[in-house]
Amino acid sequence: MPPITRFSVAPLSTMTRRLADVASGRTSPDLVIQSARVLSTYSERILPDREVWISGGRIAAVKPASTYKTGSAKLYDAKGGIIAPGLVDPHIHIESSMVTACAYAEAALLNGTTTIFCDSHEIGNVMDVAGVEAMLEDARHAPLSIFLTVPSTVPATTPDLETAGGDLTPEKIAALFDKWPEAVALGEKMDFVPVAMGDERSHAIIAAALSRGRPVSGHVYGREFVAAYAASGVTDTHEAIDREIADDLLEAGIWLFLRGGPPTTPWHSLPLAIKTVTELGASHKRIAVCTDDRDADDLLHFGLDWVVREARAAGMTPEQAWAMGSLHGATRFGMEGEIGGLGGGRRADLVMLSDDLKPISTWYGGKLVVDQKKITPILDETLSKPWRYPDAAYHTVKLPKAIKLTPDLPTTTVVANTIKTELPGIILGHHKVTLEPANDWQTHFERHGLCFVTVIERHGKSAGNVAHGLLSEFGISKGAVASSVGHDSHNIIIAGTNEADMQVALRAIEEHQGGACVVADGKVTAMVPLPIAGLLSDKRVHEVAEEVKALKVEWDKAGCTIAYMGFNLIPLSVIPEIRITDKGLVTVPQMEIVPLFEEI
């Protein structure tokens, strides 16, 4: 049997006569899902006593129960379950899951998600256009509908502030749009300050999308930037962190993607932002929900279905919440005629739900791929033959032989520019700490709640740039933690209490050509190898999830106060107030490099 992919269902333009024949009763459907309640995202009602007729992987019609009498159709008894359209995630980064697109599909389908719009700026930051195109090829082989929002901000800032492996110029972005039909929008424009200030390159990238009729996705903090951002052509964002900026964005004509994330991560902004609807009276018609980032473990337990249930808990009706998770994302990208609802002609991407909106079974293109919360043999066969990334993707960690990972101990009184970590971990504080002379670093650590943080350039584009910093209140009590997923340039970030353990962590990442690890007393206690671009595993999602769970256990044992996903944001040089890249400490939004120590 051929593998299941997005291309297993023929275009609607080739199927209209066949579907009309089935809907009219002249031809038998391939499949009839009987004894169902249907969740209509169009009218936001649950319709009782219905059956769904499917032909060629598309919906021919939704009929009253018991309309189908005889014929060759396979029958599936929903036993009164709710049949709803598959979920549509309008903004995600596959790389955050640490698995390939093929592996991601398994978790998505288990969670009732059948379409995603991904921004592959992580692999673009490592491998430039070659990385983006590799992920697109991977996506074409996946049993999931995957569309690309072309990475727009690679690197996130400038070569003066950080070293990335990629440089996606306006010309390269235009070429991706012209070559790949899956490239349906411009990905999140993270450099919102330069956009608002009229930066030439930023606006040339936006123009490459707008001139081709592609919408532009956004990423913005601060109500003062909203007007200029909207005027620059940005029409969605997932970064609304409270009801006030959410309200401003809606009124500026910008779609809201309310981000739901496990409360232990920095991503759970939905409960506050949704108050633009529940407290300020805004309509939900231009609001969708999204996941943005999930590690492999959280992907299995906190999928888009979980975010929909969070919207329900925050005050939306079940029908409104599911529409925000399906039809609204499809509508934003102009695909409501293909996905997001149960109208005739739409893809038969369906989910059977319990009354509390938990997925039980999933059909992708009319194929039953999840049945009673377990993947079916037809899906397992597709997942067992994933696409392999090019060899170059397995050799992206390029380090010098000798690297000093900790700063010299000051011999006089100095003021240290430190990075204060605090939950949820997105915004980092800039704290100046006076360090009086001491015999060792441990004295400073105990007095001020500090530890080392170091970023190492790993793309082979410099002589191995290394920047030293100090974290405040990170909480690590011994050893070191490290990751090759330091957003967004994806250099290596290490935090620790001593040079020796930090060196062990660095060499473990080098050995595996990427990964995340915890080190104590000279030994690696947990490791998630990420050999593809230093971002992705080549294993199935459940295997990687187990590795991630073990990493989280050791991470907590080390005393780290913010989770791994938040740790990876410490080098993200577009979010306030201070960050560290391979070039040094960067203040935001000033976008200036400051020294670690200032003499008094």
Side-chain angles (χ1 to χ4, degrees), residues 27 70 85 191 252 258 283 341 353 409 423 450 514 537 544:
T27 301
T70 60
D191 54 340
L258 299 183
S283 169
L353 304 170
L409 185 69
L423 291 175
L450 302 174
S537 173
V544 182

Side-chain angles (χ1 to χ4, degrees), residues 208-463:
L210 294 179
S211 65
R212 289 165 171 78
R214 305 299 205 281
V216 177
S217 297
H219 166 125
V220 62
Y221 289 92
R223 299 174 73 183
E224 67 271 25
F225 296 105
V226 170
Y229 211 45
S232 299
V234 177
T235 44
D236 76 50
T237 183
H238 57 284
E239 294 290 357
I241 60 174
D242 57 39
R243 69 174 194 173
E244 283 73 26
I245 194 170
D247 215 50
D248 290 351
L249 290 162
L250 284 178
E251 292 299 345
I254 295 176
W255 276 83
L256 286 186
F257 299 159
L258 299 183
R259 179 176 57 204
T264 55
T265 72
W267 316 126
H268 202 44
S269 51
L270 180 150
L272 290 178
I274 204 170
K275 290 181 179 180
T276 183
V277 176
T278 58
E279 293 183 0
L280 299 182
S283 169
H284 70 293
K285 67 182 180 181
R286 287 175 60 86
I287 301 176
V289 293
C290 74
T291 58
D292 194 6
D293 294 278
R294 292 288 190 276
D295 64 41
D297 179 33
D298 285 343
L299 182 62
L300 291 166
H301 300 101
F302 300 97
L304 191 59
D305 62 310
W306 178 83
V307 185
V308 167
R309 292 192 295 274
E310 287 292 291
R312 172 72 184 94
M316 309 307 293
T317 70
E319 299 84 358
Q320 289 172 333
W322 200 267
M324 289 164 63
S326 53
L327 179 62
H328 293 198
T331 302
R332 189 278 177 273
F333 291 108
M335 295 188 186
E336 67 272 24
E338 183 78 357
I339 54 177
L342 302 185
R346 276 65 169 181
R347 282 182 57 102
D349 297 342
L350 313 174
V351 186
M352 186 167 75
L353 304 170
S354 63
D355 285 353
D356 56 359
L357 302 184
K358 292 184 178 179
I360 299 169
S361 299
T362 305
W363 290 261
Y364 179 64
K367 302 290 186 183
L368 184 62
V369 290
V370 175
D371 192 18
Q372 300 300 314
K373 303 182 181 180
K374 295 182 179 179
I375 67 170
T376 60
I378 189 173
L379 177 59
D380 189 55
E381 184 177 350
T382 297
L383 294 169
S384 67
K385 300 172 183 177
W387 184 76
R388 179 177 168 81
Y389 279 71
D391 287 343
Y394 287 84
H395 300 91
T396 63
V397 176
K398 303 165 186 176
L399 300 176
K401 291 184 178 179
I403 303 174
K404 186 175 184 296
L405 298 180
T406 55
D408 292 332
L409 185 69
T411 57
T412 61
T413 299
V414 297
V415 173
N417 289 298
T418 73
I419 303 170
K420 183 181 179 182
T421 62
E422 52 189 305
L423 291 175
I426 295 180
I427 305 296
L428 300 178
H430 181 184
H431 280 226
K432 292 181 176 288
V433 177
T434 300
L435 302 182
E436 297 179 348
N439 294 326
D440 53 34
W441 274 111
Q442 190 60 36
T443 301
H444 291 309
F445 293 171
E446 292 174 358
R447 284 178 182 170
H448 304 288
L450 302 174
C451 71
F452 298 122
V453 62
T454 303
V455 172
I456 307 100
E457 191 270 310
R458 58 103 163 176
H459 305 294
K461 290 200 166 187
S462 70

Side-chain angles (χ1 to χ4, degrees), residues 98 111 148 347-348 350 572:
M98 308 180 185
N111 293 331
L148 176 72
R347 282 182 57 102
L350 313 174
L572 184 52

Side-chain angles (χ1 to χ4, degrees), residues 480-510:
V481 295
S483 169
S484 57
V485 192
H487 293 295
D488 265 338
S489 288
H490 297 292
N491 289 308
I492 295 171
I493 177 170
I494 305 174
T497 60
N498 65 87
E499 176 87 22
D501 283 336
M502 293 170 72
Q503 289 286 350
V504 171
L506 178 65
R507 296 310 166 184
I509 287 177
E510 182 182 33

